[in-house]
Amino acid sequence: MKITFYGHACIGIEVSGKHILVDPFITANPKASHIDINTLQADYILLTHAHSDHILDAEAIAKRTNAVIVSNYEVAVHFGNKGVKYHPMNHGGSWQFDFGKVKMVSAIHSSSFPDGSYGGNPAGFVIEGEHKNIYISGDTALTMDMKLIPMRTKLDLAILSIGNNFTMDVEDAIIAADFVACDKVLGVHYDTFGYIEINHDQAKKKFFDAGKDLMLLEIGQSIDL
């Protein structure tokens, strides 16, 4: 399983010969100006919620690649009405795709489309595939529901929002890593704009002192699980 960071909360996942893109927000992110969305491959696009900094490039990429958008019912149908293939889900549900199993889990946040219309409930995802399992928190506060995840799935990586103000901060993300029983963490949703800027060295040290490994990838950088 290969994981690529495309900035903000956008992640690319290659597993079982399939390409999955999570929360594509690239063209309006100055820090990701070197990423060309027309070169990105996608068989599936997972969207955690409807905010523009998570769905901005989803329609363009889905129409070019013929990808299936996977999200909550409201977000999935929204893109379905635009002529995009979609698979709707909701909290607690799971589905066996051709790359592995996806379960939608709870997130505490908000969700609305750029025009202010209702965007359903925000969510995270647990992906089980190719003998590697990952948790994508989405935008969320720290929540006790995270403790449910390791009751069903042993994780190899937790992808956690760490930027504070709109989501968990570093300290809460350390607790979240405890809750999901995963000491290997990829941080997302930080530095894109002023509200969520973090001190990288300080964040990594706090995780290290807690016995955990925090990875903060450069945009376009990849890791292999």
Side-chain angles (χ1 to χ4, degrees), residues 88-121:
M89 298 187 72
N90 219 318
H91 291 165
S94 61
W95 190 262
Q96 187 70 42
F97 292 94
D98 52 5
F99 61 85
K101 187 172 80 169
V102 175
K103 183 171 185 176
M104 181 172 277
V105 295
S106 64
I108 298 179
H109 194 59
S110 56
S111 180
S112 57
F113 290 100
D115 65 1
S117 60
Y118 177 57
N121 290 320

Side-chain angles (χ1 to χ4, degrees), residues 53-116:
D53 61 325
H54 294 258
I55 69 167
L56 179 69
D57 299 312
E59 181 181 353
I61 295 171
K63 286 183 174 177
R64 178 180 59 81
T65 62
N66 204 32
V68 177
I69 285 184
V70 180
S71 191
N72 69 42
Y73 181 84
E74 289 79 7
V75 172
V77 170
H78 168 85
F79 284 102
N81 289 337
K82 294 176 177 291
V84 173
K85 293 195 294 186
Y86 68 98
H87 181 103
M89 298 187 72
N90 219 318
H91 291 165
S94 61
W95 190 262
Q96 187 70 42
F97 292 94
D98 52 5
F99 61 85
K101 187 172 80 169
V102 175
K103 183 171 185 176
M104 181 172 277
V105 295
S106 64
I108 298 179
H109 194 59
S110 56
S111 180
S112 57
F113 290 100
D115 65 1

Side-chain angles (χ1 to χ4, degrees), residues 6 86 146:
Y6 290 116
Y86 68 98
M146 293 173 179

Side-chain angles (χ1 to χ4, degrees), residues 39-59:
T39 66
L40 297 180
Q41 295 177 276
D43 298 293
Y44 298 89
I45 300 174
L46 274 57
L47 302 177
T48 61
H49 61 294
H51 288 162
S52 62
D53 61 325
H54 294 258
I55 69 167
L56 179 69
D57 299 312
E59 181 181 353

Side-chain angles (χ1 to χ4, degrees), residues 201-217:
D201 291 339
Q202 189 178 83
K204 289 178 180 178
K205 184 178 186 305
K206 287 180 178 179
F207 269 82
F208 179 81
D209 289 346
K212 305 180 192 308
D213 177 26
L214 173 65
M215 293 174 287
L216 301 176
L217 300 181

Side-chain angles (χ1 to χ4, degrees), residues 9-10 21 24 30 43 56 97-98 103 107-108 110 118 122 132-133 136 140 165 169 176-177 184 224:
C10 184
L21 199 60
D43 298 293
L56 179 69
F97 292 94
D98 52 5
K103 183 171 185 176
I108 298 179
S110 56
Y118 177 57
K132 298 293 183 179
N133 304 323
I136 302 166
T140 187
N165 195 72
D169 61 7
K184 190 170 186 177
D224 290 302

